[in-house]
Structures are given as C-alpha cells and as structure tokens.
C-alpha cells in the first residue's frame, strides 16, 4: 500500500475528474451481423441526454454528454442545451458524421468527387455552427475515409484533399473552439485509412495550428501499440486533446473501458497524472466511446465511468518520489514494483469514500438498479423509433 | 519460367477446377457503420442463383452456388433446385444461420438457455432436411457464438453444449452428407469465440467422425497465422473439407480473394496441389465468401474466381522435381527460387487459352461488361426488397 | 470483496500450490543484439540449483527446478539429484535442446537429412535416460524446427518426420513418465514453424497416446489469441500437461510472468481453478520460462512466483456460485462483475498470511535482499565461465 | 499487359536505380538461440566491402555499401574509402551502434545516467567525423533504447533526453550531410521503445530541421501497418530519407526483401515512383538491411537486389493515366485492375534486357555461381575471426 500519497489530494483530484458520456452509446448498436435491440432505449436526443444525466446523477463525474450530428440533430439546439442544463449536464463535444450518407461510399472529405467533398466540409461547418449554440468547445472529427483495394484511389491525393478540408473547417472555428482529430487503423476501410495513426493526426494538427489536437481512441490501434507512449509523447508536444475510452481484445471492439486490459488503462492514466493533465483546467476531454451490444446500456456506462475512476485512483496513488528514485538508480525491478504497488491496491473503498463525501451512493450500480429508472424507461419508451447508430 | 511442367496436364487441371460462389455475396452487405445499397441487386433466392449462373457462364469453373438459410429459404426447394439446374448450376453447400434472431443474442448452440439451444439445433436439422431436397452434400456450420466479457459465461460449459449440438446434427446427416465446421477468431464475439481456431474445429471433427471436416475461411485468423501450414496439416490428417476464400489486410475484411496477399493465396493453392486435393473427386469444396461493400458485385466475384484460378495455375507450374531436389539438398535459396519462379510467371495467357479451349471468352470481365447483363438487372430489379445480409 | 469463499480453503490451496523454476533463467540471457552479463550468475548446474533452492527458501512454493540438456549436463546426474535434495528441491522436467548444434541449422527432428534426425532423436532418448536417474516425470520438448522461406522445405513431409520422431521418443518413455509438447508461433523460424500452435501439438499428442500432453508457453501465440480458452479446452480434453509462464507485450518477450497483462494471468488461473487443476495431484506442471535480460535474476524469479501466486489467489476468490447464477441468467454485466470483483481484490495481505503461516517472511523480495545471498554469489562466483543460454 | 508505358523510359529508370548493401549482412548473424556460422564469411571491413563490390559487379545497381560503427571501424577510413573506390563501390551511410556496450544496458541516448548519454552522443559525433573522411552523406541512427517493464523509466523524460541527443548530433552535421532517424516497434526493448513508430521519428525530424529525415525499415512495424501509406505521407511532407528493405512474416525477421510479401514491396515502390522519388537525384537512400541466418549470404543479397528491381519494374509499368481515370471515376474494380495488371506482369525478361544492355549477365545469381568467387572466399578466409553482428 502506498503511504506517501496525500490521500486528501488524491480524493480531491478524483472529485474533480470529468468523464464525458456519448449520446450514441445509450442507443442500439451492434455488429455487421446483427443489432440486438434493447428495451427502454432512447428515441430522441432528449432521451439520450436524460440517460446521460442519469449516469451523472449516480457517478457525479460525468457532467457532459457528447452529441453526434446528424444522429442528434434537433430543430432547436438552444432548447436542447437548456433541456440538458435543467437535467444537470451540459453538451460536450460535437461529433460529425460523414459516413452514413450514400454519397460517402467512396469517402467524404477525401472523396475523388469534389461535390461530395464540398458536402462533407459543409457538414463540418454546420457542426461548428451548432457548437456556437450548444456552447461546445470541441469539434470532434472522425473520418471513415479510406479505400478497400490497392489502387482504388491515390493515397497522396487523398491527403491533399484531407488537408484542404481540415483547413477550411479549422478556419471556421471560433475563439476558444478546438478541433479534435481522431485516427483509426481500419474499419470501415479495409486497405488504407486516410487518418490511420496518431502520426498522421499529429502532423495535420501541427500544420493546422494551436486549436487542433489529437484524439486518442483506445481501440483504434494496431496490435501491440503502446498507447501510453503516445499519450506521453502528445502531452510533451502539447497536442493531446481528447480520449475516446473503450476497450478491445481484437479490433475496434468498443467494449467497456477497462474491461479488456485494466492494467493498460492504469498505465494510460498514469501518464495523464504524471503529465499534470488530469485537471479539467488542462483541457483534455476524457470521453467514453463504446457500444453496448449485448449488455444493458446505462449500467454499462456507469461501470465504464467507474473503471476509469479506479484506474485514475491507482495512478494517483503511485509513489512518484520512490518511482523517480528507482528509475534514476536504474533499479528495474524496484521501479516496476513501485508502479505495480499502486496498481495492485484495491481502490474501491477510497472511491466509495469520495462518493460519499460528495453525497452520492458509494455503489452507483446498485443505486441505479434501486432507482427504478430502468423500469421506467422500459415502460415509457414504447412507441416511436428507437435510436440506433443509424437513427 | 517453368519448362518441365506438362502444359496439357496443367490446362486440364485448370479446366476441371471447381469454385463455388455464395448466394449472399450477390446481395447488399456492409460494415456496422453503413450498408451502401447497389442497383440491380437480387431480391430473391432465384435472382441470386441467376447471378451465380452468370458468373459460371463467363468463367466456366463456378457451377455451384452455396445457399444461406434462412436468407435463401423458399417454399419449394425442389423447384429452386430445378430452377438452378435450368440455368446450368447446382446448389452447393447449405449454410446455416443461427446469429440473426433475437434469441441468439447470447449464443445459439452454446447459449446458457436450453430452449435457445434447442431452437438452434432444430435449425441445423432443418438445414439437413433442405440438403436432402437440394441434393447438397455439405452442411456448413459457422457459429457466431461467443462472449464479449470475461466471466460472461463459462468457457468450458459452452464447449460441452457445442459438442452436444454438433453430435445431434452429425447424427442427423444422411449417407454421403458431410458437416463442414468453420472457425473464426473473433467478431461478432469480442472476448472469446466458441470455435476460434482450426484446433478447436479439428478436435470436434475428430470426435464427431469421418463425415465432419474443417472449413478454412482465409480471413478468420489471428495476425501472422500461416494458413498454408494449416492446409498442409489438415490434408495430412484427412480433415480438410472446404475453403471460404476471401482476403484481408486487418480482420475479417471479406475482400476479393487474392486482392490483399496474392502470394499467400498461391502458397495455399500450392499445398492443395502438392496434397493432390485440387481434383474435384478429392472432395474439397472451394468456396468464395466475400462482401463486396463498395465494388460491383458480379464483376467482383468474377474477378475473385479468376484470382483463384491464377493462383492455382502458378501452383500447378511449380517444378516439383526441382523443388524436391533443392529441399533435400538443403539448398534454401534454390528451393525458394523454384517456388518463386512459378509465382513470378504471368499465367494470364495460359488461362486465356484454357478459356478459349472451353469456348469461353478469354477475358471474362470484359465479356460480362459487354453482355448487357448488368444493365438488365439494374433495369429490371426495381421493385421489391433488395436482398442484404439480413434479408 | 468476496465474502463467500472459505478463506481457509483458499489459503490451503495457496499453500499447496507448486511452481517450477527453470535452471536457465538464472543464467545470462539476452537478445540477438546483445547479452548483458550480470554479476553472480551461476557457472554450473549445481549453482543454478542452489539459486532455485534459494527462490524456494523464500517463497515456499517452488520446490522443483527444470533442467535443460545439454546446458545442465553433468557427469553424474545421481549426484546432482542428491545435491538438489540436500538443498530442499527436486529436479523437475527435463528440457531437451536440439537447436544449438551446427547440425540443426535446417532443423532437428524435421531436418531433411536423416542423419541429423537420428542425432536429434537420440538426444531425446538420452534425456529420457537422464529422467530415470533424476526421478523426473516429464520430458519437455520444444523444437525450434521450421523454415525461413516459402519452399525451403516441404511442410507436410516435415510433419511426417516430426510424427516419427515423437513416436520413437514416446515409445521410449517409462511407466509414469510423460511427454510435454510445446508449441510456438515463430522464432527462430520466420516463415513456418513445425509445431506452431496448440492445435498441432494437440493433434500429435492425441495420436501418440495418454502420456503425451500439451505445454502452453504463455508467450508463444499470435496477437489476440485467447490463452484461457486454450486452457479450458485442453483441460476438457484431458490434454493439458504444463505451462511455461512468462509475459509479453509483442512476441516471445519472456518477461516476468504477470508483468505485461496481469488480468490475463488471472483469467488463465481462473480456468485452472475452475477445472480443478490447481491441485498438484492433478498433474499439471506450472513452470516459469523467462529471460531476465536486464533485471536481477533471482529477485525477478521470486517476483514472478509471487505474481503467479497473486493471480491464483484472485482466481480462488471468485464467487463461483454467484458467477454461475449470473451466467445462467444471462446477466452479462453481473457475471463480469463477479469475476472483476475477485480480480480487483488486493490479495497481498492474504498471501502474506499464507507465508507467515508457513513460517516464511511475508515479503520474500525484502527477505531475499536482507539475506546476503546476492552479495555472496557476486563475491564467490568470479572465476570460471558464467552460464548463459548457450553455455 | 501494360502497353502505354514507354519501355525505354522504364528501362532507363531501372538502369539508374541505386540500392545500397549493408556491410553487416555479409557477416554471420542469427537469433538469440543460435548463430550458425558460414564458410567464407568476411573477417574485416575490407572483406565486407569486397563482397559488396561483388554484388555490384553482378547486379550493376548496388554501387555503395553502408558501414556500421564500431563493427567496421578501421584505423584509416581514408584508405578504406580508397579501397572501396578501387573495387568500384563507394561508402554509403554510416550506421551508429550504441547498443552493444555494457554501458547501454538501460539505454544509450535516453539512459537515465548522464554519463552514458554523453558517451553515446560522443559516438554519434565520432560517426559524423568518419563520414567526413568516407564522403558519406548520411548518418543513420537506430536506437535500441527502450524499457522492458512498465515503470522502469519515465517515458517522457526519455523523450527529452532523446531530443537533446539528436539536437547535438544534428548540430554536428556538416553542409550536405543528413541524419536518417529509424524507428522500430520493439526488440530489443519489450515494453516501450523510445522511437517506436514513424510518427515519433517524424516529429523529432521536423523539430530538428531540414537535414533530418525518417528512415523506414520495412520490418519494424506493428502487424497490419500499411507501409506504403507511410511512404506516401512522408514523401508528401518531404521527410522520407531512406529505406531499410527486408521482409517479415512476424516481427523483425530480416528476411530477404520481397520474400514474404512481394505485393507489398510492389505497392511501396509504386508510391516511390508515383512520388517521383526513384531518381537518385531525389535523394532517398534505398538500403537493404537483412540477416541471412541460414541461406548463403552473397547470393541472398543478389536475390534481394533483384527482388527490389522486379518490384520497381512492375511499379514503373503501372499505366498511370488509366489508373487516374479509373480513380477519378470511382471505378473501384477498374482502378484495382490497372494496378494488378502491372503487378501480374512477368518483368524478368525486361530486367534481363536491362542487364544485357548494361553489359551484365542477365542472370546475376547464375553468373555469381559460375564466377568462382564463393569457392575462393571459402578457401581464402580461413584464419582469423569471422565477422558477426557483434564482431
């Protein structure tokens, strides 16, 4: 057990932590083989926000919800913002979607057709307009753009088109607004993706300017990629803007954060703590981006939030003085042991205290189950069209 | 260039080669992000068979089409068989589908619920019944069964349930019928799949008996897996029953066979030739199993057939005497050079001759384009529901 | 925290647990780029055994040491056995080495040259002879055999040769002796390995008979392989014989067990516990097989033993009734939570108690450091040739 | 077959192509398990250069040889340069080696110990000094630096140290000299490598300035990485400086270029051709970096050179007008077919002509075998110490 950490400081950091939930994770999702619908799933942007607010009510650290346009497009975003505020949450990052229209079959901003590119960029600009209404700081860009076959399109031309589109969107950002550029190795493109790795995202962000930063989705890497290295590198370069947390055993499995490799999540959070980037004032947006294909959605998101909290608590408990001493001394086993000592600590009692100090139930999952919320939504959300990835 | 091969023998083997097309590859498909519909896509099992017959008309080596139940369920399978026969093709393997019903959310034959397992096994038995009508020899089983989270279900219990289901289906096979058991590393299950690798399929097939053999889908392996080794091993053990050909750069990308790694396809076909297993009399079913998400479907399938033919031609051209001599002598470079010599040969002229000898156009793609078939289906197949993976 | 587990039973199981250390892990090792020698490294088989006995002295659960022939060849194995006994340990599995002789450049038991194969098989038989003197039950076989280039040798012929060699060695086993057949994806062979995966090892073992079982080295798999699935499958089939524990981020990195993915090690040990296979009477040999290239060797091995113990303790703490209930109910989140509840428990206090109950220091690493053993060996083992992988 | 390409232009490009051989590939190499020595292997830097000159004599496109310091350290580099010149080759890139000294156990330029870092940087500066004597333009840096265990050292501090070392070396470069910064995912470091991917190398090179560019070793990536994408990206950014060609099925296998995935090598060379970067005047250094562990070294290197030539010839034969038209039209299959048409062409006759036009034997391997060179070196190079990776 780590004695040296100032427990009060640790608790304070945990109380201040902020994790953003994604509106689409409350909706139905699935694989290409099948979407299994669930009861009580939201039918509107408002119902997604209500679910997000519920997660915040039980965890206390999830006070914002990311939207996905056009999935969450409403006639009056001002009203939506107000609705969210009434429920105790705010609207977070605005995610663009340029992959579900027929026109985007061969790409959006990198499509060989200039007309399609124009349409895609206009969507990005529309999203910026929405941000001004919702009060969102961050425009999050993920492009499914890529090609399935060698030769299908010119890899370098597509970079030129990408750069042009990013520039136009960047120039449309207002003061205090940021662009988060996400990368992904593959899927839905199966030969070459136009923003496949952090290096590509980083290079474009550097070219764009200070308001452009990289978004790391923890499921978007090649096997064996050391994600915490990327975190450390981007923090050093001042270019880490956001996370999409989830976990994976194979590809972009979008399982609950911390479910597949909790030790990895801890190592990532350690680099965040070590880089002084946990504090909300630092500006990194810690989002979840998950698909609860077979498990109940709201409890899965609560559990994911808790998993991130536990990894963070362990990271905060690392005895950094002892670690530094062992590292400087070249004591391989000693340094590793300091890190593992924190990881092996059971931080659940500590987090229970943090919650109780904040007036929350120490067990958010149990409290949610007792609350009757699940039964209510299953009863009330009967008519209408359930929301799904494409709805 | 390989001189020693008897060209007539090679041509004869290429004329006799048989490649089965999958009915579902003519239908719409996509990723979890989006299915892009195409014009002229079939709306019925009959239209799929018509498309398959078209592929055979231009290639001459694709005289059978695999069906997927329930996607291709019709009121009268006898009539369907007859319809196919009139078009010059026969019905091949019957593929079961126990992954698209709500009941199968947590598995089919390995579901913890006995009622669901019963339903799934009944579907397998139904498929055997269909085989008796369609004259199909092979029951192809792919199970999406698996779990997404550690602990979700008991890995070993699921094997017991799997074994019981396979046994019941196996016992339902008639004389001369076979079971092909496919394996897949992941997707749609993201933590553990119940038949994840060839070893699992092999062990169950050995336990079941002689009529059960392994089906290798070339896209279903972990990165770095040497597929031709598996081919050689299963041939030696007498347990290779079928292929699902396709290609991949990342996961189960389902691209056209030979599109991602033509050298690998050649190495696979070399093991087939070396094992004496190319001859249709040997009994291996060489199927395609692909998703043409963004490219035109019929030409993509023609191209895939041609890619398999080219890999086969190269495999047939390997100077096996020279290869054996170099191998025996421990001449690493010499042995590799013999193999590469065949691979580096341009076999397209040879295949053009094979086609012309068979009264076919030497360029099947061009002939298809000139035939007007594509324009006709795009005009005629307007009303009704296009077929898709789930339709 | 798990309440239902009978703590006394858990402690008892932990006291009875047996982990075998490998003689070669005490010796120098490295990568192809460099072997960094360490002070105090053993120069003889006896000194390796003394180090192994030291690990046992501080952990209480490592009472046997595996030998590697010819690295540990001595004139009088009876005397060696007696020496080990005097130090409180016994000689465990005998590992053969048919990869470091010039003759084995193109393979040992699968070499195209019959003379080399003869030599290799004779070595296996020699090892069986040694086992009879040392009282070892298990012959452990790892073959580096494979090829670097397509075509270099015939994949299937090599399987024939492998089968013949295994048969001869198997037939040489005495009553109560076993053969453990290890598999490995790659390295040192870089195109095809002759025993690349569990399926290959399993198939040969089934063919050989009851005394042949599979050895799982946790670092020998393709990326994404679910090792605990293999454990569960082999236990069900009665064919799991042994583990070589180590950990890896990339390839066969041979890091300390539990260092790279402690959650995976827990999942593996859970399948062991669930299968009733932890008890030494079950017969599975739990070995370490690691390379401490840059960290101090004895403390690294102690730490590895402790890591396996911690994973085991967590596995024993799983509330299996609750788990089964949740699994049967299809409660995905609930079942996962039961498993994670055990994993998230800090079991170090429990293991400290187990050690104290056995009269050991609760902190084996600290006790070792205080013992003066390291200083003594660094002082005494000056002259002579340090042992290394090749020495 | 591609008709439109101007064959004369293609031949001219192939005649002008330059491929650099590595001095160390002529020496003994192996895996951590065993180095199998070969007869006739060079014992001195001069003998390595003689072998390199022999490769050039038979291929005509390998007129330079890269050195590795200290492996190739000689008392008089001016004499060595002169010796090389007399044999018809020049000295190419100077490769530094800061991984084989005991001091570098925990890193060289990123070592926590400032003294070790000083020593490592001094070695880099020494290499620059050697370049001035040998007339080499390029300083090639590969660092084995990294850590094996989480926590062993601070990831971000190591980047600071790396940046400082690179800066000092960069500032030491003379006019017209360049720094090539290589990256590698893992090995010998097994948890985190300090320059693990192209993004890291790129970011440092951008920070350093125009004389710093990225070196792509084709074996140094995570599974699934699209290398030709990186090539296209770096060319667009003006930051591609060099290649280390080799091939791999699994990790950094260092097999002959083109042996594992000839289609990938073709795609890489296509991006080079498309980017106008094949011309030696463009400045990219195309090097081999391979380990011929079991095959004869000189013929293996000749074969590798030929494999790169064949991939290049195919890349030059791509009908780029037709490709662009198909790409612009969104004709997925058509565009892919244009690329494959070139790939499927047998370019060996064309290359035979190129060689004959240049007064070379059309079959370099056969010519080498007939030349008696191999017999001579096996006879003459008897006494003394054979060169190996560490010698």
């Amino acid at each position: 057990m780590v004695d040296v950490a100032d427990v009060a400081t640790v608790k304070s950091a945990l109380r201040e932590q902020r994790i953003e939930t994604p509106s689409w994770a409350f909706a139905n999702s699935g694989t290409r083989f099948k979407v299994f619908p669930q009861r009580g799933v939201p039918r509107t942007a408002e119902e997604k926000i209500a679910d997000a607010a519920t997660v915040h009510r039980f965890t206390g650290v999830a006070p914002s919800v990311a939207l996905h346009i056009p999935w969450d497009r409403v006639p009056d975003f001002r009203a939506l913002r107000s609705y969210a505020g009434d429920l105790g949450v705010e609207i977070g990052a605005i995610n663009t979607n340029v992959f579900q229209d027929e026109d985007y079959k061969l790409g959006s901003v990198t499509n060989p057709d200039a007309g399609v590119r124009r349409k895609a960029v206009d969507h990005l600009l529309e999203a910026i307009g929405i941000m001004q209404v919702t009060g969102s700081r961050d425009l999050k860009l993920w492009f499914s753009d890529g090609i399935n076959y060698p030769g299908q399109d010119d890899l370098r031309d597509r970079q030129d088109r990408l750069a042009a589109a990013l520039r136009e969107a960047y120039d449309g950002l207002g003061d205090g607004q940021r662009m988060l550029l996400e990368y992904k190795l593959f899927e839905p493109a199966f030969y070459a993706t136009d923003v496949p790795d952090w290096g590509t995202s980083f290079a474009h962000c550097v070219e764009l300017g200070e308001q452009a930063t990289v978004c790391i989705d923890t499921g978007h890497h090649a096997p064996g990629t050391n994600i915490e290295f990327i975190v450390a590198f981007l923090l050093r370069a001042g270019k880490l803007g956001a996370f999409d947390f989830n976990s994976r055993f194979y590809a972009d499995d979008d399982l609950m954060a911390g479910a597949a490799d909790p030790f990895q999540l801890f190592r990532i959070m350690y680099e965040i703590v070590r880089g002084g980037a946990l504090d909300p004032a630092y500006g990194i947006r810690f989002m979840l981006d998950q698909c609860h294909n077979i498990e109940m959605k709201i409890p899965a998101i609560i559990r994911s939030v808790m998993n991130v909290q536990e990894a963070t608590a362990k990271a905060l408990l690392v005895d950094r003085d002892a670690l530094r001493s062992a590292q400087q001394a070249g004591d391989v086993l000693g340094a590793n042991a300091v890190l593992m000592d924190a990881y092996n600590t059971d931080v659940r009692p500590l987090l229970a205290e943090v919650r109780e100090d904040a007036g929350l139930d120490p067990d958010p999952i149990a409290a949610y189950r007792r609350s009757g919320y699940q039964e209510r939504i299953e009863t009330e959300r009967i008519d209408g069209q359930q929301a799904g990835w494409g709805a």
Side-chain angles (χ1 to χ4, degrees), chain A:
Chain A
M1 190 57 200
V2 177
D3 308 304
V4 297
D6 181 352
V7 173
T9 307
V10 168
K11 281 180 160 184
S12 166
L14 291 169
R15 260 201 303 276
E16 298 304 320
Q17 185 172 21
R18 292 292 169 261
I19 299 166
E20 182 160 309
T21 57
S23 70
W24 56 96
F26 298 99
N28 284 320
S29 63
T31 69
R32 60 175 170 148
F33 296 101
K34 173 71 177 168
V35 174
F36 293 102
Q38 294 190 16
R39 282 181 295 162
V41 158
R43 298 159 298 178
T44 62
E46 285 79 7
E47 289 181 352
K48 293 181 202 170
I49 289 174
D51 288 357
T54 302
V55 170
H56 181 49
R57 185 153 61 96
F58 291 102
T59 62
V61 295
S64 65
V65 52
L67 299 189
H68 217 294
I69 308 298
W71 297 343
D72 296 317
R73 190 183 276 137
V74 291
D76 185 347
F77 277 102
R78 203 169 313 268
L80 193 71
R81 178 184 188 176
S82 180
Y83 176 82
D86 291 347
L87 294 178
V89 292
E90 59 181 25
I91 292 174
I94 299 299
N95 290 256
T96 56
N97 176 325
V98 282
F99 54 87
Q100 290 197 318
D101 190 287
E102 306 277 316
D103 282 339
Y104 300 140
K105 182 172 163 181
L106 301 181
S108 64
V109 294
T110 66
N111 198 300
D113 184 303
V116 176
R117 297 201 297 273
R118 181 70 259 149
K119 173 175 171 173
V121 173
D122 284 344
H123 175 71
L124 308 188
L125 297 173
E126 177 203 2
I128 294 173
I130 291 170
M131 290 163 65
Q132 280 149 3
V133 182
T134 57
S136 299
R137 184 193 56 186
D138 293 337
L139 175 71
K140 181 137 77 71
L141 304 179
W142 172 63
F143 299 108
S144 71
D145 292 57
I147 59 180
N148 277 8
Y149 290 101
Q152 177 188 327
D153 199 1
D154 188 85
L155 295 175
R156 188 161 158 180
D157 286 348
R158 291 176 80 95
Q159 289 299 312
D160 291 337
R161 297 172 201 148
L162 173 65
L166 291 174
R167 169 57 59 198
E168 188 172 348
Y170 186 88
D171 289 345
L173 292 174
D175 287 344
Q177 290 187 330
R178 301 191 314 179
M179 174 185 287
L180 306 174
L181 183 55
E182 192 170 340
Y183 58 91
K184 183 176 183 179
L185 182 64
F186 78 99
E187 194 215 17
F190 291 132
Y191 160 58
T193 297
D194 294 318
V195 190
D197 55 18
W198 77 265
T200 305
S201 177
F202 173 79
H204 280 288
C205 287
V206 166
E207 202 175 308
L208 288 168
E210 289 199 352
Q211 286 163 274
T213 54
V214 179
C215 173
I216 298 177
D217 183 304
T218 50
H220 287 188
H221 302 84
T225 302
N226 184 324
I227 299 175
E228 59 269 28
F229 174 88
I230 300 172
V231 173
F233 194 93
L234 289 175
L235 284 175
R236 181 178 178 274
K239 278 295 182 191
L240 179 57
F243 280 96
D244 270 9
F245 284 122
N246 52 61
S247 66
R248 51 81 66 93
F249 287 96
Y250 304 98
D252 186 28
D253 306 339
D254 279 332
L255 302 177
M256 297 187 297
D261 189 347
F263 183 41
Q264 181 190 59
L265 183 57
F266 160 73
R267 299 193 309 263
I268 289 170
M269 293 312 301
Y270 173 71
E271 290 304 324
I272 290 293
V273 169
R274 181 256 180 260
L278 182 64
D279 187 333
Y282 188 95
I284 291 181
R285 199 171 275 275
F286 298 91
M287 292 178 277
L288 301 178
D289 180 10
Q290 308 179 153
C291 290
H292 309 295
N293 297 344
I294 58 168
E295 69 271 23
M296 286 182 62
K297 293 167 196 300
I298 295 174
I301 294 171
I302 293 175
R303 176 71 194 230
S304 304
V305 168
M306 293 170 69
N307 285 349
V308 175
Q309 287 184 293
E310 291 175 22
T312 307
K314 293 179 179 195
L316 288 163
L317 288 176
V318 171
D319 183 341
R320 292 180 55 197
D321 290 336
L323 183 62
R324 185 166 298 269
S325 296
Q327 289 172 342
Q328 284 296 324
D331 179 1
V332 177
L333 290 168
N336 176 246
V338 171
L339 198 79
M340 297 311 293
D341 193 32
Y343 179 68
N344 287 325
T345 301
D346 189 343
V347 295
R348 293 174 297 174
L350 176 69
L351 280 160
E353 285 177 34
V354 169
R355 288 184 195 110
E356 286 180 324
D357 291 352
L360 297 166
D361 192 292
D363 183 343
I365 298 274
Y368 172 75
R369 291 197 191 280
R370 283 194 313 269
S371 73
Y373 187 86
Q374 185 69 33
E375 292 75 8
R376 191 160 68 247
I377 59 177
E378 292 189 12
T379 306
E380 292 176 0
R381 297 176 181 173
I382 296 294
D383 300 324
Q385 174 70 42
Q386 279 191 322
W389 271 36

